[in-house]
Amino acid sequence: MQEIKQQELQKSEENHKTTGHKNVKELGKNTRKLEKLELMLRSRGMKAFEYYPDTDYLILYDEKLNIERKVPGYAEYLKTAKTVYPEDRWKILSFFQGKMEGPVEIRTFSKGGRIKRRMLDSILVEEEQGPVYVGCTRDITEEKEREEMLEAQARKDPLTHLYNHFWGKELIN
């Protein structure tokens, strides 16, 4: 993704030399598009990534699509990673091995030790050097906390805080 951004800038510079002011406007449009994309990524808690399964190499991008971190030997790193919830490591490995499809919910630890929930999704793209998973993770912690709070409220009477009829039966049985 970083390479694509640099290639676009180089093309714009080359075109500017030959066509003049016309491409200055286009470069400005591209800059505004990148700013909008950055805003969307930041406000949604999203991180972009590329994973190369043939070389087991992961590249994480920040919201400006600059390389945030490169992780060679990602499968081995993941086995001991302290930032990923231990029971969810197999989900990530299975996802990148093609054994799981679609969005996958994983749990990670923040720097403060708090559990964060993320949704992992990608598409497989065939490139000259081999297949690559291009995707993003999205922070869904607040959504999940809201869901859990609503479920807890649905189980109890708001006045007495006793379990309602349905949940009382479930607890007894």
Side-chain angles (χ1 to χ4, degrees), residues 71-141:
V71 185
Y74 184 65
E76 283 301 314
Y77 164 81
L78 193 57
K79 290 177 183 175
T80 59
K82 294 181 180 175
T83 56
V84 178
Y85 205 77
E87 287 83 10
D88 290 348
R89 293 176 185 160
W90 69 271
K91 286 183 186 178
I92 299 170
L93 287 172
S94 296
F95 183 78
F96 286 134
Q97 291 169 351
K99 297 176 184 174
M100 291 180 87
E101 289 185 20
V104 175
E105 184 181 327
I106 59 170
R107 295 165 291 182
T108 60
F109 294 107
S110 66
K111 291 179 182 174
R114 187 170 174 243
I115 294 176
K116 305 280 269 172
R117 294 180 177 185
R118 301 194 69 80
M119 190 62 70
L120 172 69
D121 201 4
S122 72
I123 59 169
L124 182 61
V125 178
E126 291 294 333
E127 292 188 349
E128 291 177 14
Q129 68 269 24
V132 59
Y133 287 93
V134 179
C136 68
T137 65
R138 184 172 58 93
D139 188 352
I140 58 170
T141 306

Side-chain angles (χ1 to χ4, degrees), residues 3 16 27 31 44 51-52 58 68 75-76 118 122 125 139 145 149 165 173:
E3 296 168 7
H16 176 64
L27 182 61
T31 301
R44 299 289 181 242
Y51 176 70
Y52 298 86
L58 179 77
E68 184 177 290
E76 283 301 314
R118 301 194 69 80
S122 72
V125 178
D139 188 352
E145 287 173 351
M149 182 188 69
H165 185 74
N173 295 333

